[in-house]
Amino acid sequence: MNNMAIFIDISKCTACRACQVACKNWNQLKAEQTENRGSHENPPDLSAHTWNRIRWVEELKNRKISWSFFNDRCRHCDPPDCKDAADEFVKGAIIKDKTGAVIFTEKIKAIDPDEILSACPYDIPRYDPETRMIYKCNFCFDRINAGLTPACVKACSTGALQFGDKTKMLHLAHDRISQLGKNATLYPGEDYNIFWALPDKALLKHIG
Amino acid sequence: MKTITRREFIQISGGTLAGFALSGCLGVNMRPIQESVNGLRILHARQTTTICPYCAVGCGIIVHTVKGKVINTEGDPDHPINEGSLCSKGMAVYQISHNNPNRLTQPLYRPPYGTEWEEVSWDFALDKIARRIKETRDKTFETTNDKNRIVNRTLGMASLGSAALDNEECYIYQKLLRGLGLVYVEHQARI
């Protein structure tokens, strides 16, 4: 299996949240009760049962509301900081798969969860006291190894999420960024297995 | 063909057993190994195609079942409408299967002046519905309106069709209702 990647084009996302539901459906994660917080953004945060979430970036531009939808989830860094942190305690608790997936194994239960949670620069993993496991997006590595696309990518109807060989996806991303104009940028960078094309650099202050 | 002696058989099976035991001890690192051994959880599931019951777009869905139980649903990549993708509602179609503990399995009936719903048999429910329809229709049926034009209708009943009905079911349903003379025929399929 080659080094794979998901390329997320924010400018094509309509926040239908099919990716969110597809993730819950495939990984059999339970639903969560949430409250209306005055925003369409729901649920309010990632959790042990929500590994993929659309973040609403609401801005006032020329007295008009402008929406950007950022698909927040594990970036599958290459190399992953969480793996380095975990290896200090238990070798192999976090695996970097050949597909590029960063996978948390059951060995992680032996490590103090704060060590893993604080190692992530993007605040993605979530601890579940019930199972004593730390959860996050697993890149649907079971689907990828069986030749399928990740559940979220398959569900995306606008083509905002695309999956393929990392070199091909990076090529696609750079093409798209040049189309989107001078302000567009690649986030977080090339040393990741999931990357975003942001139509405006100003979005970085909301995402980072 | 090489025949295996009793001694060889014991050696082989002993070795295999030891292998199993070893992997058991070392296998803390479970999920990736489990996945590669068991494969995809839908690998041996039966695939059936269906149409999403919600809106008028009519996306194709593949339902994965094992022994008659739905284990997964996802977009049908061969369907010309959605080509494998789905919206958030269509993606959640898994929840309207028998996996949902909130799903009704029996008709519920609340008698006049009753405060609680009670479970009744299908025979009871269908007989009741049929009798009520007959009574109401007999009472309110009008052959002509006040301008003496032939209308053959009843204004005593209305129908709000289920959003989970597909095109063909809706057609049959509305045929039945028009046959009875209903005018207020609605269908809630716009969400």
Side-chain angles (χ1 to χ4, degrees):
Chain A
M1 185 62 67
N2 299 339
N3 198 8
M4 308 304 269
I6 296 178
F7 162 52
I8 303 173
D9 184 352
I10 286 191
S11 58
K12 285 185 183 166
C13 179
T14 58
C16 76
R17 284 176 283 209
C19 49
Q20 251 176 241
V21 182
C23 179
K24 287 217 175 208
N25 190 6
W26 176 255
N27 295 302
Q28 304 194 297
L29 307 173
K30 64 179 183 189
E32 286 167 285
Q33 184 103 44
T34 54
E35 275 179 13
N36 186 345
R37 299 170 301 123
S39 162
H40 291 292
E41 184 184 77
N42 189 41
D45 194 13
L46 293 169
S47 75
H49 315 293
T50 306
W51 301 348
N52 162 15
R53 181 179 81 100
I54 300 289
R55 227 156 92 179
W56 293 58
V57 181
E58 294 173 309
E59 287 173 302
L60 213 56
K61 278 184 187 164
N62 302 328
R63 306 186 68 192
K64 264 189 173 173
I65 286 184
S66 136
W67 272 337
S68 300
F69 309 120
F70 178 72
N71 189 330
D72 201 10
R73 51 156 90 208
C74 176
R75 274 75 163 159
H76 295 276
C77 315
D78 193 9
D81 290 353
C82 55
K83 183 177 184 305
D84 292 344
D87 280 348
E88 280 180 30
F89 301 95
V90 182
K91 269 255 179 291
I94 296 177
I95 301 171
K96 181 76 178 171
D97 194 27
K98 55 191 182 304
T99 58
V102 177
I103 302 160
F104 288 10
T105 70
E106 298 265 329
K107 278 187 189 176
I108 217 163
K109 287 182 181 175
I111 307 172
D112 178 13
D114 286 341
E115 298 288 348
I116 309 290
L117 300 185
S118 60
C120 178
Y122 304 104
D123 184 27
I124 299 297
R126 293 289 184 269
Y127 179 66
D128 183 9
E130 245 172 66
T131 56
R132 296 191 299 113
M133 260 297 276
I134 302 175
Y135 295 99
K136 64 157 192 73
C137 162
N138 60 17
F139 211 45
C140 281
F141 67 95
D142 46 348
R143 288 178 66 95
I144 295 175
N145 285 323
L148 299 169
T149 55
C152 52
V153 179
K154 190 176 177 197
C156 185
S157 53
T158 59
L161 273 75
Q162 300 204 42
F163 173 76
D165 281 5
K166 191 176 168 186
T167 42
K168 210 175 141 194
M169 286 301 114
L170 272 174
H171 192 73
L172 213 66
H174 287 302
D175 267 9
R176 183 64 186 155
I177 286 163
S178 58
Q179 272 176 22
L180 286 168
K182 245 198 264 167
N183 270 334
T185 181
L186 185 76
Y187 172 85
E190 297 201 351
D191 299 335
Y192 298 84
N193 285 79
I194 296 191
F195 35 81
W196 287 256
L198 304 185
D200 194 344
K201 284 192 187 82
L203 285 170
L204 284 170
K205 69 172 185 276
H206 300 283
I207 292 163
Chain B
M1 201 181 114
K2 187 179 178 282
T3 48
I4 297 172
T5 63
R6 189 168 164 271
R7 177 182 288 266
E8 276 170 342
F9 176 75
I10 291 168
Q11 277 171 349
I12 295 166
S13 47
T16 322
L17 267 175
F20 271 122
L22 247 163
S23 65
C25 298
L26 299 175
V28 196
N29 170 12
M30 283 185 268
R31 204 165 162 218
I33 291 170
Q34 256 172 23
E35 295 288 354
S36 61
V37 171
N38 303 339
L40 208 60
R41 71 185 166 87
I42 55 168
L43 196 63
H44 300 293
R46 184 195 160 98
Q47 296 193 350
T48 319
T49 55
T50 187
I51 306 291
C52 178
Y54 292 120
C55 81
V57 173
C59 295
I61 296 177
I62 296 179
V63 183
H64 294 100
T65 50
V66 171
K67 291 178 188 158
K69 292 265 176 199
V70 179
I71 58 160
N72 186 48
T73 56
E74 57 185 68
D76 181 356
D78 294 332
H79 199 274
I81 302 286
N82 57 324
E83 296 177 352
S85 69
L86 282 176
C87 76
S88 41
K89 274 198 86 173
M91 206 65 236
V93 137
Y94 174 79
Q95 286 185 320
I96 61 172
S97 70
H98 47 73
N99 302 305
N100 191 337
N102 296 327
R103 189 182 165 134
L104 294 182
T105 53
Q106 286 261 263
L108 295 182
Y109 177 65
R110 198 185 60 184
Y113 305 106
T115 52
E116 298 296 323
W117 292 96
E118 49 196 66
E119 278 195 355
V120 292
S121 70
W122 277 103
D123 280 344
F124 176 90
L126 290 172
D127 282 353
K128 201 89 180 167
I129 293 166
R131 199 178 311 124
R132 294 273 171 87
I133 288 177
K134 174 86 169 66
E135 273 170 21
T136 315
R137 186 172 179 271
D138 286 350
K139 220 184 285 173
T140 60
F141 195 80
E142 42 195 49
T143 46
T144 52
N145 65 0
D146 42 7
K147 286 179 187 154
N148 235 6
R149 290 189 183 120
I150 297 171
V151 285
N152 285 335
R153 68 184 178 194
T154 167
L155 298 179
M157 281 184 280
S159 165
L160 184 63
S162 156
L165 292 181
D166 63 32
N167 210 23
E168 288 71 24
E169 287 163 347
C170 279
Y171 180 80
I172 295 169
Y173 185 55
Q174 92 110 31
K175 269 235 174 240
L176 167 79
L177 301 173
R178 296 287 184 215
L180 292 170
L182 261 76
V183 181
Y184 306 125
V185 181
E186 257 295 5
H187 178 65
Q188 183 248 10
R190 312 185 183 88
I191 300 176

